[in-house]
Amino acid sequence: MASSRNPMDDMKSTWRTWDRDQWKLPHKIFERINVYHIELNRDVPIHPKEDKIPYVSDWSLNRWVLVTSGVPLLAHQLFIYLTGYNFHPIIASFYYYQASRLFTTRELRTLRELGHSHGFLDGDKHERDGVPDVGVSKALISVMLAGLVRPLMTVWLTYDANKAPGSLNWAWLLVEISLYGIILDFWFYWYHRVMHNVNGLWKFHRTHHLTKHPNPLLTIYADSGQEFFDIAGIPLITWFTMKLMGMPMGFYEWHICQMYVILAELAGHSGLRLHASPPNPVTWLMRMFDAELVIEDHDLHHRRGWKKSHNYGKQTRVWDRVFGTCSPRIESVEANIDYDNPVSMPIL
């Protein structure tokens, strides 16, 4: 009997070893931007589950986002100071798209180096999935859409050419950064949980779960409906929610908030064997209630799959803790964390 399995569900990834004459444009673009999760000619350390797992400090991750998101703002402010002109919205869209692209590229390459240094979760059982042979074009389009749509959306909704980066609301900034991930995660949690538990909606989410050991390039790898909600829908709902709560959420504040989210999304799909939480100024408070997310939490979610899953949050574990859907950790249990030899997220 012929198999009923959809050929597009095959996650085999061998194309990087093909003769390059077989490559098409998407393969060449991936090669050009060089954001693979590993380099094929380098070793990846493999650790038993009981080996100590390195710790990444909250400050290291917050510092990384603040520096990499702040440099474009400083350059923008300097341009205004020297010329007396601000960017037209079209120029601002292009400028902040390029800034986001450089931020993301740098992050992906940094995550790769950390993988080669420290290995991956569940690495003694399974290597990380690559971009599948049948989905190279799809993965590339997903990555490009995520990088393009969010800056355009942010400019369209909030950019004001009469305001410079120095006008951002400093009094509100810390509050907005702290709450953005938690509020976004509330909406993401329920949208995500419903996609798992309602039969008619699982079909829109199942493609994302073809990978049981994801890498960052598969962060947005999904059917088009889910891609829309991940890229634009949930951030839009979050922005409107915060505006309704009375927060300014101007262009420059939202830019910084979204850079925080990008790091959380990519690191959360990296599978790095590191004990690291998505950066947030109040991670210390969430940790007091065992409600902070770590890389292993979303990695375990992917290994589980369909109905009655767990760890639905992607920025925090606040809503999983509130609604009782946390799962036990394996390698990131407290007794297994190596606090004595912390790892930093290198800025340069």
Side-chain angles (χ1 to χ4, degrees), residues 285-346:
L285 179 59
M286 291 186 277
R287 189 172 288 120
M288 291 175 62
F289 297 93
D290 195 20
E292 88 290 3
L293 195 75
V294 298
I295 292 175
E296 188 176 31
D297 294 324
H298 195 66
D299 210 58
L300 289 170
H301 173 80
H302 269 271
R303 283 180 237 165
R304 179 65 177 267
W306 191 18
K307 286 197 170 185
K308 298 189 183 301
S309 190
H310 44 58
N311 299 349
Y312 295 104
K314 200 160 60 173
Q315 304 291 321
T316 74
R317 251 198 335 178
V318 167
W319 307 113
D320 282 292
R321 181 61 62 199
V322 168
F323 298 111
T325 50
C326 292
S327 74
R329 293 164 181 165
I330 299 172
E331 296 176 70
S332 277
V333 292
E334 184 65 24
N336 209 37
I337 303 168
D338 185 1
Y339 290 107
D340 295 329
N341 298 291
V343 173
S344 294
M345 185 81 170

Side-chain angles (χ1 to χ4, degrees), residues 68-79:
T68 52
S69 63
V71 166
L73 298 180
L74 288 173
H76 185 175
Q77 184 70 48
L78 181 61
F79 173 85

Side-chain angles (χ1 to χ4, degrees), residues 251-294:
F251 174 80
Y252 303 110
E253 296 101 314
W254 199 11
H255 162 73
I256 296 172
C257 289
Q258 296 214 67
M259 295 303 101
Y260 267 88
V261 167
I262 289 172
L263 176 56
E265 290 176 338
L266 296 180
H269 285 86
S270 70
L272 288 172
R273 196 174 188 276
L274 295 172
H275 187 78
S277 296
N280 189 306
V282 295
T283 298
W284 62 272
L285 179 59
M286 291 186 277
R287 189 172 288 120
M288 291 175 62
F289 297 93
D290 195 20
E292 88 290 3
L293 195 75
V294 298

